[in-house]
Amino acid sequence: MIGKLKGLIDSYGEDFVILDVNGVGYVVHCSTRTLQKLPRVGEASALAIETQVREDSIRLFGFATESERDWFRLLQSVQGVGAKVALAILSILPANDLASAIAMQDKATVSRAPGVGPKLAARIVAELKDKAPAFGAVDPALARLSGEEPEGAPSAARDAISALVNLGYGRPQAAAAVAASLKQLGEAAEASALIRQGLRELAR
């Protein structure tokens, strides 16, 4: 199995690059985000590679970072997510933003990717929620406050999130604001103080 390729950029296609490695041209499918990071034709580049072997084909998928490749693999563990959909998601969301969206149960952000409807987005954030912090720089406090019924969060924080949602803010934005407020005010902060600080965070 191929895990990494290093060579010269030979040419670009709509969703792939041909990488010349010692005279052999490898067709490597990439996300739009990865393709945009690659250098011009004739210049050297290296890609982390995921090799997929099927009965009728062998396909190579390339990534600018190993973190992006890890997410590509993880996304495909969700039923209904194949290589095409996984690349579409990674084309609109860098790894850390994807991790945050899943940690905050932000279905709307994930569903921005082509081919990802509301039901599939809901399944992705639900099935990968517990894995998101391990795959990106997700604030543990934010992960703890995510979801409809955050477990292990102070009751004041839960009340503050509900209050901000009632004021018209989305739950992911409210959770992020309260998480930031908890960092500044401490775990013992009252709901009223968290709401006031949360509104300041949201106004930035």
Side-chain angles (χ1 to χ4, degrees), residues 71 95-106 132 136-139 142 146:
W71 270 109
N96 285 344
D97 287 0
L98 176 58
S100 294
I102 290 173
M104 290 188 293
Q105 300 290 278
D106 187 354
V138 178
D139 184 342
L142 181 54
S146 65

Side-chain angles (χ1 to χ4, degrees), residues 19-198:
L19 196 62
D20 184 333
V21 182
N22 297 324
V24 178
Y26 291 90
V27 177
V28 184
H29 297 272
C30 304
S31 69
T32 302
R33 189 171 295 278
T34 292
L35 288 174
Q36 291 171 345
K37 291 180 179 178
L38 295 178
R40 292 176 294 183
V41 171
E43 295 185 0
S45 182
L47 289 168
I49 298 294
E50 175 73 2
T51 306
Q52 288 193 350
V53 180
R54 299 287 185 262
E55 289 184 7
D56 57 349
S57 67
I58 298 176
R59 299 183 77 190
L60 302 179
F61 297 90
F63 306 94
T65 65
E66 291 189 3
S67 175
E68 188 184 20
R69 181 178 62 187
D70 290 342
W71 270 109
F72 179 73
R73 293 170 176 168
L74 187 63
L75 284 166
Q76 290 180 86
S77 69
V78 178
Q79 183 181 357
V81 178
K84 184 176 180 180
V85 170
L87 280 185
I89 293 172
L90 291 169
S91 290
I92 66 158
L93 290 171
N96 285 344
D97 287 0
L98 176 58
S100 294
I102 290 173
M104 290 188 293
Q105 300 290 278
D106 187 354
K107 301 182 285 290
T109 294
V110 178
S111 65
R112 283 167 39 207
V116 180
K119 288 184 179 179
L120 182 55
R123 190 184 307 144
I124 290 170
V125 299
E127 292 189 16
L128 300 184
K129 179 185 176 185
D130 293 337
K131 300 175 183 177
F135 276 82
V138 178
D139 184 342
L142 181 54
R144 187 172 53 135
L145 294 176
S146 65
E148 295 294 327
E149 295 293 336
E151 297 179 3
S155 59
R158 295 197 297 270
D159 292 343
I161 292 171
S162 295
L164 293 175
V165 169
N166 290 336
L167 289 173
Y169 294 100
R171 182 167 288 275
Q173 291 75 27
V178 173
S181 301
L182 275 175
K183 278 187 173 181
Q184 292 191 33
L185 304 177
E187 292 282 321
E190 295 183 356
S192 57
L194 290 172
I195 293 168
R196 286 194 299 271
Q197 184 62 35

